[in-house]
């Protein structure tokens, strides 16, 4: 059997990161997690890191304020997965990711890098609306740095995290499914893709030693999780045995909400608009340069959304 890669997770205590640590250990990889010096007195982060260690992970101390510590950390592994936070850290996150790319370039030993993507494919969002396009533009800057440095990569396009998009029935401003009413985007029939976050990590880890995913974008688009908002609501209605009262909002009305919102909310509106009105997750065929995860790994029993939603009952 081929030797499994050693994996370093940067951002391991985060929402996606902790699942990546779990999946990496579960799939038998020697797993390292960056323990940033800056966490200081954050007892929850420290306890989580210690729990990773108890499960078999190795903690590597390092800091983005000490570049050599990043290079040294990277030198110990074959694969680096970055799960640092997204839009709310904006340009700060961009600079940190670029610094990590530089460390990987200097270390010179990494066989695969997964940058912090895990969403809409930024390469398809060249015409995205302001200000939400910042997310895609920044991810493309990181991609360019990776590719200019000749670092082998896999980009994971994870579509909609179920915790944000399915539990809420894709409503903004809530994480819990309503039991009385829901607002549909337009006719509610545009197809999105909803993904259990643990499955995202399982698929991502599957790609790292797979030659089929080298220098490719892997789209997580398992067929039964390609659902319109209306279909998602239908699954919930079946579970609660009740029909929700439905209203609808047009694209123009939805975009008009943006005025008066703060920056992060405006970014969110843009992303929702592209997903639920444009259909940006499903309005293209995966062509050359891309692979679909459930086709590559049919053995993964991915979570269907009627199962996922049961946790809210
Ligand atoms: N498709 C979707 O629906 C969706 C939803 C949410 C997020 N995402 C994407 O998933 C990726 C990960 O997001 P997330 O929500 O998991 O992130 P998160 O939980 O907000 O943060 C992840 C980690 O980022 C690191 N971090 C935060 N601030 C930092 C700083 N100043 N310096 C260094 N490290 C810092 C921390 O790592 P430590 O462990 O080192 O402390 C933190 O645990 C992002 O690219 C995001 O765009 C996609």
């Amino acid at each position: 059997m081929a030797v499994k890669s050693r994996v370093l997770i940067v951002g391991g205590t985060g929402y996606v990161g902790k699942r990546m640590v779990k999946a990496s250990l579960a799939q038998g990889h020697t797993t390292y997690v960056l323990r940033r010096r800056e966490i200081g007195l954050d007892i929850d982060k420290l306890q989580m890191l210690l729990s990773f260690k108890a499960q078999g992970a190795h903690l590597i101390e390092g800091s983005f304020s000490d570049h050599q510590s990043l290079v040294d950390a990277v030198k110990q592994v074959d694969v680096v997965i970055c799960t640092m936070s997204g839009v709310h850290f904006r340009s700060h996150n961009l600079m940190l990711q670029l610094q990590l790319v530089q460390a990987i370039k200097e270390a010179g030993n990494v066989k695969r890098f997964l940058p912090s993507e895990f969403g809409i494919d930024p390469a398809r969002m060249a015409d995205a609306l302001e200000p939400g396009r910042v997310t895609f533009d920044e991810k493309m800057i990181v991609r360019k740095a990776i590719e200019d440095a000749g670092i082998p990569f896999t980009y994971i396009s994870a579509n909609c995290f179920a915790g944000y998009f399915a539990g809420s029935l894709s409503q903004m401003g809530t994480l819990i499914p309503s039991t009385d009413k829901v607002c549909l985007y337009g006719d509610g029939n545009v197809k999105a893709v909803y993904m259990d976050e643990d499955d995202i990590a399982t698929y991502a880890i599957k790609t790292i030693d797979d030659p089929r995913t080298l220098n490719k974008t892997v789209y997580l688009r398992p067929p039964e999780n390609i659902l319109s908002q209306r279909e998602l609501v239908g699954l919930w209605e079946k579970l609660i045995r009740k029909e929700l009262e439905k209203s609808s909002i047009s694209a123009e009305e939805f975009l008009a909400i943006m005025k008066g919102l703060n920056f992060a909310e405006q970014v969110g509106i843009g992303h929702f608009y592209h997903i639920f009105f444009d259909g940006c997750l499903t309005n293209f065929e995966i062509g050359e340069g891309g692979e679909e995860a459930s086709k590559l790994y049919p053995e993964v029993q991915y979570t269907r959304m009627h199962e996922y939603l049961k946790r809210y009952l």
Side-chain angles (χ1 to χ4, degrees), residues 75-268:
K75 276 190 179 154
Q76 297 186 48
V77 299
D78 311 296
V79 171
V80 178
I81 300 178
C82 180
T83 54
M84 273 161 42
S85 47
V87 72
H88 28 299
F89 288 96
R90 294 190 56 239
S91 43
H92 190 49
N93 168 284
L94 172 64
M95 297 319 292
L96 298 179
Q97 278 221 82
L98 291 176
Q99 191 185 342
L100 182 61
V101 171
Q102 180 60 31
I104 293 170
K105 184 180 170 186
E106 282 170 45
N109 57 298
V110 165
K111 298 200 200 93
R112 199 74 69 95
F113 176 46
L114 275 56
S116 191
E117 292 232 349
F118 313 111
I120 301 171
D121 179 6
R124 295 178 183 277
M125 301 305 289
D127 298 323
L129 295 176
E130 295 280 9
R133 61 170 304 131
V134 66
T135 313
F136 314 119
D137 291 346
E138 291 189 350
K139 287 182 175 176
M140 289 307 286
I141 293 170
V142 175
R143 282 191 182 193
K144 183 168 185 317
I146 294 167
E147 291 170 32
D148 286 352
I151 296 168
F153 63 84
T154 300
Y155 303 138
I156 305 291
S157 176
N159 297 311
C160 293
F161 287 10
Y164 288 107
F165 289 90
S168 62
L169 304 179
S170 305
Q171 307 290 280
M172 292 188 79
T174 181
L175 293 171
I176 305 282
S178 167
T179 50
D180 53 340
K181 48 188 166 186
V182 67
C183 178
L184 298 175
Y185 300 109
D187 60 12
N189 289 327
V190 170
K191 297 277 187 182
V193 186
Y194 298 91
M195 289 299 304
D196 175 295
E197 292 83 347
D198 286 309
D199 294 344
I200 292 171
T202 298
Y203 281 125
I205 297 294
K206 287 251 172 199
T207 69
I208 62 179
D209 280 337
D210 187 342
R212 296 172 298 175
T213 61
L214 177 62
N215 296 341
K216 294 236 172 111
T217 300
V218 175
Y219 297 88
L220 311 191
R221 207 193 255 189
E224 290 185 45
N225 286 9
I226 303 173
L227 299 167
S228 67
Q229 188 197 6
R230 197 180 274 279
E231 288 168 328
L232 180 78
V233 170
L235 296 177
W236 176 240
E237 289 175 328
K238 220 170 168 181
L239 286 173
I240 61 170
R241 296 190 188 148
K242 181 181 170 192
E243 208 172 304
L244 303 190
E245 185 190 317
K246 297 181 188 70
S247 58
S248 161
I249 187 165
S250 70
E252 296 70 33
E253 289 166 331
F254 185 65
L255 288 177
I257 299 173
M258 225 192 276
K259 279 195 205 108
L261 295 182
N262 68 34
F263 181 83
E265 290 164 339
Q266 289 185 24
V267 167

Side-chain angles (χ1 to χ4, degrees), residues 34-62:
L34 189 72
R35 178 171 68 76
R36 289 187 300 118
R37 287 174 204 144
E38 288 75 18
I39 69 169
L41 298 179
D42 188 333
I43 187 77
D44 289 333
K45 256 191 208 296
L46 180 63
Q47 293 295 326
M48 199 188 297
L49 287 163
L50 294 176
S51 81
F52 294 155
K53 195 165 91 167
Q55 292 163 60
H58 304 270
L59 305 181
I60 305 187
E61 196 198 304

